[in-house]
Amino acid sequence: MPGRNFLFVPGPTNVPDRILRAMHRAMEDHRSSAFPEMPMTLFRDLKKVFKTSTGQPFIFPGSGTGAWEAALANTLSPGDRVIAPRYGQFSHLWIELAKRLGIRVDVLEVEWGEGAPVERIEEILTADKQHEIKGVLIVHNETATGVTSDVGAVRRALDNAKHPALLYVDGVSSIASIDFRMDEWRVDLAVTGSQKGFMLPAGLGMLCASQLALSKLDQAKCARAFFDLGDMVRSNATGYFPYTPAVLMLHGLRESLNILLEEGLENVYARHQRLGDGVRAAIRAWGLKLCAKAPKWYSNTVSAIMMPEGINGADVIDVAFRRYDLALGAGLGRMAGKLYRIGHMGDLNELMLLGALSGAEMAMRDVGIPITLGSGVAAAAEHYRSTAAPLPPRPGTPQSPDAQQPASPAGASVGGKQTRAAVKA
Amino acid sequence: MPGRNFLFVPGPTNVPDRILRAMHRAMEDHRSSAFPEMPMTLFRDLKKVFKTSTGQPFIFPGSGTGAWEAALANTLSPGDRVIAPRYGQFSHLWIELAKRLGIRVDVLEVEWGEGAPVERIEEILTADKQHEIKGVLIVHNETATGVTSDVGAVRRALDNAKHPALLYVDGVSSIASIDFRMDEWRVDLAVTGSQKGFMLPAGLGMLCASQLALSKLDQAKCARAFFDLGDMVRSNATGYFPYTPAVLMLHGLRESLNILLEEGLENVYARHQRLGDGVRAAIRAWGLKLCAKAPKWYSNTVSAIMMPEGINGADVIDVAFRRYDLALGAGLGRMAGKLYRIGHMGDLNELMLLGALSGAEMAMRDVGIPITLGSGVAAAAEHYRSTAAPLPPRPGTPQSPDAQQPASPAGASVGGKQTRAAVKA
Amino acid sequence: MPGRNFLFVPGPTNVPDRILRAMHRAMEDHRSSAFPEMPMTLFRDLKKVFKTSTGQPFIFPGSGTGAWEAALANTLSPGDRVIAPRYGQFSHLWIELAKRLGIRVDVLEVEWGEGAPVERIEEILTADKQHEIKGVLIVHNETATGVTSDVGAVRRALDNAKHPALLYVDGVSSIASIDFRMDEWRVDLAVTGSQKGFMLPAGLGMLCASQLALSKLDQAKCARAFFDLGDMVRSNATGYFPYTPAVLMLHGLRESLNILLEEGLENVYARHQRLGDGVRAAIRAWGLKLCAKAPKWYSNTVSAIMMPEGINGADVIDVAFRRYDLALGAGLGRMAGKLYRIGHMGDLNELMLLGALSGAEMAMRDVGIPITLGSGVAAAAEHYRSTAAPLPPRPGTPQSPDAQQPASPAGASVGGKQTRAAVKA
Amino acid sequence: MPGRNFLFVPGPTNVPDRILRAMHRAMEDHRSSAFPEMPMTLFRDLKKVFKTSTGQPFIFPGSGTGAWEAALANTLSPGDRVIAPRYGQFSHLWIELAKRLGIRVDVLEVEWGEGAPVERIEEILTADKQHEIKGVLIVHNETATGVTSDVGAVRRALDNAKHPALLYVDGVSSIASIDFRMDEWRVDLAVTGSQKGFMLPAGLGMLCASQLALSKLDQAKCARAFFDLGDMVRSNATGYFPYTPAVLMLHGLRESLNILLEEGLENVYARHQRLGDGVRAAIRAWGLKLCAKAPKWYSNTVSAIMMPEGINGADVIDVAFRRYDLALGAGLGRMAGKLYRIGHMGDLNELMLLGALSGAEMAMRDVGIPITLGSGVAAAAEHYRSTAAPLPPRPGTPQSPDAQQPASPAGASVGGKQTRAAVKA
């Protein structure tokens, strides 16, 4: 197919050329005396992204699923009890994974479209006088429904209940896109992956552990080897890894961190807010509804759009992909067919999104949803125009001719701002 | 800036990843016994793109300007007379280049927005009973105004006049995007570059010479060394070059030809027609006018959009570039400020263009042009929807969850086409 | 440092440019209907490399360590007993990993420098009338000592003992470099990684399971989630993965398999044999000894070179790396300091190795080992010369001038084979 | 063929990965307001490489041949007289090119293997009382024979003769590798290309003009368009180019200049001296002779090795290329068959060269030259060892195991420097 694929699934996200370039390099000896310098900078800068000064970040070849496993297996023992609200496919899958490790999970069922039920959590923890509950598992941004939960409020629930359970947070589709505050919220295990806000190819699972979490390593009896944090702690101390790391991904992560820190994390969050607001304006203009039940749940990285009666979201996705080269996300689990999702995270700007919205409009029309072509695009564009940063003055006189002109100009100046024409054409 | 730049100048165009990959390689000895095999395939396949069986293509490190010079300097002598209509900045620049080589150019002034004046050409040639005129210089697609001329008609004018002048055609922004027929039109020297329809980085000038043109090499007295075709003829015969060729660009060209021939040239032309029609629908919806005076001149690779009274096209371009990361083309020469240009050639699809059109809408509004946001996008999208190829049946059951799900599904099937959900989520 | 690093650790190995190119691409939706086609070809072609028609290959984001874990955790339960000879750091580490999973390992201590003790294994299995032993763990090529074991003989030991234990083989540094025959040897779980014979960057763990092994999944009680084979079996059936795969690595693997199958596996093995023979000739010429005790143990992918009394191998490595940009492998575990290792596997040719041998010579001299400079290089070169394939006839007349020559030749022919000069210069 | 090609022709040279990475990027609008910033840094830093503060550098899509033409065509008129010694194929070709432009060249024939005949030049200039001679053309490093001339001495000859002729210098295979001093030697036009010392792919011709040279533009009557310096002067003033520049090559050049300036030009020259001395030691050890007649002519970027009676250098090259994947340079013009050449410039280190020397040894033996395998390698290695820079102290404790080790170490410390082993293995 000519032209670029429009990748708007909620992960993997678009990998900036800078990152691909950084990864196009010869392999090297990861045991050499020169090697540790770079990984040490990764650990340092990952802490900035997790917003922690005391936590310790870890990098595994793997995926978010691996990081889920690492977080649990290193801090819990078979038979331990945790509580976990389920409000989407990813909270569901994490729960299932915990069960496989032998952990007992008290599932709090929540309507899909809502987020973490802070009051119920506080009640349960308050009632758990014996402190049998060892952990609380929260998906910060439920990618399946486009719902962002209030992790800070969950921390307050723990505090109010004076409960020592560890706070486990899946930040796979939030960290590096939506504000995340490890230290302020006293998150104990924060899980993420490479292929969302970090704008990297898939292939890394990352997590960050609080000192409290690290103090649990010895007593945690879940079996673990590849995902053992203790080995990592020992090797990482000198900038090495206990087994062969995915070296090119580390170089990619180095560039990812450069990009994030150059833009500034707060600017990154604000950009995602602004881009997300535009997408939501488009959805409103289409007369469609989000899966997220209330504005407080709106996700700035993914919007799940409910389909009208009689329309299967999978058909929108199919037409979008095969006819317009636009990749959208499907409804998952109990939401299968009922919605489709637009990812809006990572290395993204207004025009990329407007192109995607236009593609979504065409696909929706093609499958019979009676939206007005251009309506969503216009609403989003109006939002982007009205919130655009003011331009600094121009850096000198711009230029004009796009190709060959060895000789003297044909046209004379035509008045107005024609310095350019006078000089160049 | 986050996200990709939207490159919509009428060249350079977007380079497909396949081509960049093909060029990411170690240098090699271009004198080795293994080298010639690949260039030989370039010469073979370039002939397909020029639509010639008897012409000979040439590849220079350089640009379209260099190919202009090569075409003239190898076939003409100082003092020779040629005729050349001037209807835009690039026809102008070619004329100026010819003069620098000592060639006498009879310039036919044409209103910018129109194309080659076939009748006047026929009259002049008919009147030239002594055959003093040695060549006719035609810009097939005038990039500065978005005007495509009828080269076949120019050939008929030559034939009607029974005139032996060589037919020189600048196909820089047409060849490999708009139908070009070297043999059918008996073009003698066809000039092009790498960075337009060939989707390559800038860095090559290419041309194709008819056997008649090649028969003039010996008598042509313009000085030439780097651009000498005779040296090329001798070296190319065995797959070598008379001096160090731009080897990586040759590898890129190999991939470019693969891409063009895989899509099929007629499909490439049809795609450009369809994409261009959509752009023109957008411009109509905006209530704006093309520089091209009549539909027969409309270019499928670039649209030049006239600005309303009081608006400087340079301001649209500046806002588009600095605020929305969208690169548009400027008005050149006597058109400076009066228009801006959208390139729509090369490796492009609908959503890329719709994103660009949306960006143009925002920029135009920002500088005070009272267009309705979304209006052009809607018009173009309607065109693309209504002309989309029918989809083949789906290749099996699609898939759904976008990330981690090691465990069993949460949601059961919800009926309808939920095989996907049932299997995967 | 100017020039290329000479990477001669026994993994990671040099990544061919073809593979890096294949991995330099935009991310894509791994849930799209277009995605499965490529992974399906990987499964098909990996079977060729494992030499199995009935086994099933698996691809994990991870490393060889992860594949070790996957092999054991999916087929064994805590408390199960296995036997494992220990003859180097990697057999040691696999044993330790098994213990962490709760598996009881009967360790057979073997002198480092020897390989799998086939007779002892047969005795033990014969004595195990109750079939308490569930598995036999064999490292095919012990990377730490440069010893290749006879896996076929181990299979015969199992057969002679009529023992049903599963045969687990670590082929990390053998598969795709040294002949490996999954079906013929009835290996049940074959483990490998991406960064050795597959010439890929680090980041994948791969394994292949026999049908017998797969029949154990349900009864195996080791906890597993990320590394669960059952999830993989279900998703891979349609070309998908249970969680986000390392997509770029899959594209790299596609190219790796192309390269291996183009060269031909038997040719790949023969090349490693020939390259390894040259390295061993060099070591003999230096008057040094291999760690491998006898020719039957010699590894074609890595040579471990014993240091003379008073010399620390770490010093050779340090000087080689920091002074000559040559990466060599260290002695591990009980061999630390006693040897250094040269990896000779993957994308390698004679001159790369001769450069590395020359660097090793300089480094050894620098730290006081009294070898004769050039002696090893000469011995290896003599081997390569004497075993070089005969050249096919030249493809036509070669070429000569390396740069600019627009003009006619200076020198006339000087006789002899000067057709080249006559034509080109 | 497995492994890397050993590219040891005297250009193109090996392109560092850093440069290839820098060139792997999307195209951009070379007329945008953001574009000029980068080219401006190229002009600034190229001046450092040419060692000029008053000269002006120029960058053309093209090759060294194009830069030859640009240098002459912009400063001379048809019929002008220049003098030029001819001592190799490239001085020959430049002379021929000058003739094509209509320039009268007084050729000073010099034995191939010697350099610029300073005394004869001074005599001729002194005798030219009318100052009819407008220029002196000198090839600084004659790539065909491996001879470096003394440009400073040529300048003194001009000064002694009090002659105003312009000094034209071909520095294609010297600049950025061998010390070149534009200002000190008052060179008027210095010509170079991208694919030698600049370590770039082929595709650029570069030159630097003195203010005196630039003052000749108006009176120079050679026809020129693509290579016109006046257009360049005007456009470059603001960071633009008169026609589409080879943008990716400019990005590559940016990285090339970064690399050169990071290493430091004097260090670059010293490295070439040291590498060249090693090659010459090898040639002596082989008992062969250089084409260069005396040490004062020895080139640090290319060695031309004379073949014994009865041996055709082309056969060495053929065997080296097809059997050992080693690219060597051929004898050119009157030297065809009489020698072969080893390029030793650009991104090169000791081990790359030692591998190439070893390959040359094998190829020479294969065609019947009775050299001792390893002899040249040993001589070069001895030179590199004895001239290696002292190592700084080690940056902390190095590391060891090359792959998977999740568990505790097998071997205990073995004393001595085994901290590494104790910690890691």
Side-chain angles (χ1 to χ4, degrees), chain A residues 267-278:
Chain A
N267 294 330
V268 169
Y269 306 147
R271 176 166 54 85
H272 281 83
Q273 174 80 51
R274 179 168 169 266
L275 292 176
D277 284 340

Side-chain angles (χ1 to χ4, degrees), chain C residues 84-253:
Chain C
R86 172 154 55 195
Y87 38 74
Q89 182 68 2
F90 294 97
S91 41
H92 165 70
L93 290 170
W94 199 12
I95 288 164
E96 293 299 307
L97 183 146
K99 291 180 184 170
R100 288 202 189 186
L101 301 182
I103 294 161
R104 290 182 298 150
V105 187
D106 296 351
V107 178
L108 315 191
E109 298 291 354
V110 177
E111 191 178 5
W112 290 28
E114 298 187 352
V118 176
E119 295 78 7
R120 284 163 66 193
I121 291 169
E122 183 170 336
E123 282 167 28
I124 291 166
L125 293 173
T126 303
D128 176 36
K129 298 300 182 199
Q130 306 307 317
H131 294 170
E132 280 194 10
I133 295 167
K134 300 304 180 195
V136 180
L137 276 57
I138 302 293
V139 172
H140 186 199
N141 187 72
E142 173 54 66
T143 320
T145 59
V147 163
T148 305
S149 287
D150 185 345
V151 177
V154 176
R155 164 49 65 196
R156 285 190 296 277
L158 277 149
D159 287 351
N160 292 344
K162 296 190 169 44
H163 199 287
L166 295 183
L167 178 55
Y168 296 81
V169 179
D170 170 333
V172 171
S173 60
S174 64
I175 291 171
S177 306
I178 295 173
D179 197 4
F180 183 87
R181 307 177 184 191
M182 176 111 182
D183 277 4
E184 182 179 327
W185 300 337
R186 300 203 321 282
V187 173
D188 290 299
L189 287 129
V191 166
T192 192
S194 53
Q195 79 277 15
K196 311 257 176 176
F198 284 97
M199 307 170 288
L200 285 160
L204 294 182
M206 295 187 280
L207 70 161
C208 195
S210 71
Q211 290 303 318
L212 178 60
L214 292 174
S215 74
K216 308 290 188 189
L217 299 188
D218 286 343
Q219 66 202 68
K221 298 300 175 214
C222 283
R224 59 201 185 260
F226 183 84
F227 288 119
D228 189 69
L229 290 188
D231 294 335
M232 278 285 180
V233 166
R234 280 183 291 279
S235 289
N236 290 175
T238 50
Y240 293 96
F241 291 85
Y243 44 76
T244 311
V247 173
L248 296 195
M249 290 293 291
L250 299 184
H251 284 286
L253 179 56

Side-chain angles (χ1 to χ4, degrees), chain A residues 21 31 231 240 399 401 406, chain D residues 21 31 231 240 399 401 406 424:
Chain A
R21 272 199 291 278
R31 299 292 170 188
D231 295 334
Y240 294 96
Q399 292 285 329
Chain D
R21 270 199 293 278
R31 298 292 171 189
D231 294 334
Y240 293 96
Q399 293 286 328
K424 293 295 309 171

